[in-house]
Amino acid sequence: MTEGALIGARFALMIDLALLMGLPLFWWVMGMVGRKGVTALLATGGIALSVLWLLASAASMTGTPITSPDWATAWILLTMTPIGPVLTVRGAALLATLFATLLPRGDRWALPPAALAAGTLAWTGHAGATEEMAGSLHRVADVAHIWAAAGWIGALAVLLCTVAHLRPGSDTRPVATMLARFSLMGTLIVATLVVSGAINAIMIVGLAQLPALLASRYGLLLGAKLLLFGLMLGLAAANRWWLTPALEAGVTPQRAIAHLRLSLLVESSTAIAILALVAWLGTLDPMA
């Protein structure tokens, strides 16, 4: 029960912070006017979910139900462990994101603090426990992994919402242009995910221990994550090399839109499943 609450809190927090950074990033890359209300809602949600994660962490340590918060243990975590500084930085970044939404073009100003808030997730998983120089490299790789994943998730959210609102007879050229412009960003995202993911795996397990993953629950979940990542790559490739040219050429646009809508829905669902696995993996001993 307590482990499930911790995984659930991590999962919800990851989705919130990924969207908080990913949406402004995609809006900026596409030259779009962002929705400051959505950004403010996600920043507020990040604060609430961070508190929930703290209470879930305390409940997991003591074995008490999260419905009866252990405030004493939560206070110890805040004042006597690295969790305190991490939540302080994240809280300040989230408040700065909220303030940015009050400014003209706040969707642009919100991106740096939102990226900082998302990056703090690297200190609450395995990367946060790695020490010395190796720990610094691990956290840099993990931050890059988080930012790349956030960029992909934010792009999927905007694209899915845009395609979902298309109606028969709608002009599909803006969608095709958006997909085409996303291709370079998508390539950078995938390259970053692959390189940083490989570094993370080596840092967490070690090269010599990689074969032993096959006999662990961590390894099975990691394998499932990699399979889902491969599925996302396949869908993204289909969007780029098949559906986008069909929309640009105006060939059976309604059929292409239907296929694109289904592809983006499956890709988004796969991304959510990957985040659920990552939330679970972060609570496990890799060699247990």
Side-chain angles (χ1 to χ4, degrees), residues 222-232 270:
L222 181 60
K225 175 192 171 185
L226 293 176
L227 287 175
L228 291 174
F229 178 66
L231 174 60
M232 287 187 70
T270 304

Side-chain angles (χ1 to χ4, degrees), residues 68-161:
S68 301
D70 188 338
W71 297 105
T73 302
W75 180 250
I76 291 174
L77 289 174
L78 274 176
T79 57
M80 301 179 65
T81 74
I83 288 178
V86 170
L87 289 184
T88 299
V89 172
R90 182 185 299 165
L94 291 171
L95 289 174
T97 305
L98 273 174
F99 175 75
T101 62
L102 303 176
L103 303 175
R105 299 312 304 270
D107 53 316
R108 303 289 178 87
W109 291 107
L111 179 55
L116 177 60
T120 60
L121 289 171
W123 277 261
T124 61
H126 291 106
T130 311
E131 299 178 348
E132 299 179 346
M133 184 63 69
S136 298
L137 175 60
H138 192 178
R139 284 183 285 275
V140 168
D142 207 22
V143 169
H145 201 75
I146 290 165
W147 284 352
W152 199 343
I153 290 169
L156 285 175
V158 177
L159 289 170
L160 183 59
C161 183

Side-chain angles (χ1 to χ4, degrees), residues 12-98:
L13 187 56
M14 286 177 179
I15 291 179
D16 182 275
L17 295 182
L19 288 172
L20 180 64
M21 176 191 168
L23 290 175
L25 176 61
F26 189 76
W27 292 330
W28 172 64
V29 171
M30 293 293 126
M32 301 169 63
V33 177
R35 299 185 178 182
K36 294 190 288 185
V38 173
T39 304
L41 181 62
L42 289 169
T44 304
I47 295 172
L49 289 170
S50 293
V51 174
L52 178 64
W53 172 77
L54 173 65
L55 295 178
S57 298
S60 179
M61 288 182 61
T62 60
T64 57
I66 194 172
T67 51
S68 301
D70 188 338
W71 297 105
T73 302
W75 180 250
I76 291 174
L77 289 174
L78 274 176
T79 57
M80 301 179 65
T81 74
I83 288 178
V86 170
L87 289 184
T88 299
V89 172
R90 182 185 299 165
L94 291 171
L95 289 174
T97 305
L98 273 174

